Amino acid sequence: MGASFFVMVSGLLTVGLPIFVALTLAVFIGLHLENGTPLMLIIQRMFSGLDSFPLMAIPLFILAGNLMSTGGLSQRILRVAMLLVGPMRGGLAMTTVTGSMFFGAISGSSPATVVSIGRMMLPTMTEQGYDKKFTLGLLMATGALGIIIPPSIFMIVYGAVAGVSIGALFMAGIGAGLVYGAVFFGYCWYRARRDGLEPRPWPGLGELLAAVREAIWGLAIPVLILGGIYGGVFTPTEAAAVAVAYAAFVGLFVYRELDLASLWKVCVDSAVITAQVMIIISAAAAFSWYLTSTGITETIAGGLLALSDSPWTLLLLINVVVLIAGMFLDPNSIVIILVPLIVNVARAVGIDLVHLGVILCVNCAIGMFTPPFGMNLFVASGLGNVRYSEAVRGALPLVWLAMLALLIVNVFPEISLWLPRTVVSGM
């Protein structure tokens, strides 16, 4: 039963049906073949899958990220990053990494990070002698930090599906994001030294302080969001609402780069993105319910546990499966389809579900720039006005670097778990 059902789902995806159609249609066919099961259950399960308070954070964080990008916050933050690390050997490349980490902390979206940072850094790095393929690859790889550094839409979806604290996931993502960024910092320094790129002059403390003063409204956003969550002032969903109000205020009245026309466009664009995410979540809720109610989830869990009861062996298997899935599916689809299948297995062998969430997050971040269907590949090729094949050649060497960061996060769970265990009692 389980094997034939997944063959059917794979076939529907292979013929090019949208993910939400493929999942819903598979459940419809499965229920239709079972006598006495009302098909209305599909609609009920789709709506109940969206009836979740934590999921309300998704449209709000999407809107907040778009407001910050359009309202001028990202440009000012990137200038601070450039003044901080730009004078170092390989400083421009390091600025791309730093800027992606900063912007990831306010957007929660990988493609949005690539576009926002790439618009400014791609021409600058190319003019300063950096190879264009390397520059595009670095933008794609570090743009993936948008779903690792909190607040992360991926972590919100994972937390809702797996029943894990979103606040704890956000804290765990900080350590993983810093490790991921540190790996690329080291490579940027090595690459610059190999290519004979010299350090640039230090612009002076005064210029740095002036840039920080100009960007202080943007730099305060991660402190406001994460500090409010960890301090118990508001929930992640309430934090998203605060971020929207704050970003709109700064864009309209402080930097004055937002007007009513651009505000309306940002709202429309955010609504479209939200609809795309939510319809997949609703379809996946019905899909997950079907897997559970028919016993397919338990069958798969039992099969995996029969292979091995070693946490390391099962983690290796999970990493391989998610890395392959990331080549073809977006992160939210992956977490919704796979988490119901593996969460019981992870729990049975003692894998911490917060640590598992971070591992899946880093895997999916790598999938964002892995051929053939990594979203960042298409975004970067359009941004750099290059062929898709050139974007792939730029990304492939950096996939291995990202996998090194993934290995470190897997082998050393405390990187992810130290902060949430320190702050959250009982973890």
Side-chain angles (χ1 to χ4, degrees), residues 164-256:
V164 178
S165 165
I166 295 172
L169 287 167
F170 280 3
M171 283 184 270
I174 294 175
L178 290 175
V179 166
Y180 188 101
V183 169
F184 281 92
F185 258 97
Y187 182 70
C188 290
W189 179 86
Y190 162 77
R191 176 91 181 212
R193 182 179 180 184
R194 189 197 70 181
D195 295 345
L197 297 175
E198 295 297 328
R200 297 194 302 165
W202 166 248
L205 183 61
E207 189 173 346
L208 175 61
L209 291 177
V212 171
R213 190 163 49 248
E214 178 70 12
I216 194 67
W217 290 92
L219 295 172
I221 290 178
V223 178
L224 176 68
I225 295 173
L226 302 179
I229 293 172
Y230 304 153
V233 180
F234 35 66
T235 67
T237 303
E238 293 165 346
V242 171
V244 169
Y246 182 91
F249 173 79
V250 172
L252 286 168
F253 302 111
V254 179
Y255 294 149
R256 298 184 180 180

Side-chain angles (χ1 to χ4, degrees), residues 15-226:
V15 299
L17 287 178
I19 292 172
F20 78 93
V21 175
L23 296 181
T24 308
L25 184 57
V27 175
F28 176 87
I29 294 172
L31 288 180
H32 183 70
L33 297 176
E34 298 176 13
N35 295 327
T37 305
L39 298 178
M40 183 59 69
L41 279 174
I42 300 175
I43 305 301
Q44 293 176 352
R45 291 295 170 176
M46 291 179 72
F47 275 94
S48 65
L50 296 178
D51 187 16
S52 170
F53 183 70
L55 290 181
M56 290 177 60
I58 293 176
L60 293 171
F61 273 127
I62 290 173
L63 177 57
N66 287 339
L67 285 170
M68 293 169 197
S69 179
T70 308
L73 282 79
S74 58
Q75 296 91 325
R76 289 167 173 83
I77 289 173
L78 188 61
R79 174 163 171 74
V80 172
M82 186 174 293
L83 291 172
L84 279 173
V85 299
M88 300 170 63
R89 187 189 296 271
L92 279 179
M94 292 180 185
T95 299
T96 299
V97 180
T98 307
S100 296
M101 294 174 76
F102 273 130
F103 193 74
I106 62 176
S107 75
S109 167
S110 177
T113 303
V114 173
V115 172
S116 297
I117 302 300
R119 282 174 180 165
M120 293 170 274
M121 293 308 301
L122 181 59
T124 304
M125 289 182 65
T126 304
E127 289 170 7
Q128 294 296 320
Y130 284 87
D131 178 71
K132 192 171 186 179
K133 288 198 297 292
F134 165 73
T135 303
L136 284 173
L138 188 65
L139 283 168
M140 290 182 278
T142 58
L145 280 162
I147 68 172
I148 302 175
I149 297 283
S152 164
I153 294 171
F154 175 93
M155 290 181 178
I156 296 171
V157 178
Y158 174 84
V161 173
V164 178
S165 165
I166 295 172
L169 287 167
F170 280 3
M171 283 184 270
I174 294 175
L178 290 175
V179 166
Y180 188 101
V183 169
F184 281 92
F185 258 97
Y187 182 70
C188 290
W189 179 86
Y190 162 77
R191 176 91 181 212
R193 182 179 180 184
R194 189 197 70 181
D195 295 345
L197 297 175
E198 295 297 328
R200 297 194 302 165
W202 166 248
L205 183 61
E207 189 173 346
L208 175 61
L209 291 177
V212 171
R213 190 163 49 248
E214 178 70 12
I216 194 67
W217 290 92
L219 295 172
I221 290 178
V223 178
L224 176 68
I225 295 173
L226 302 179

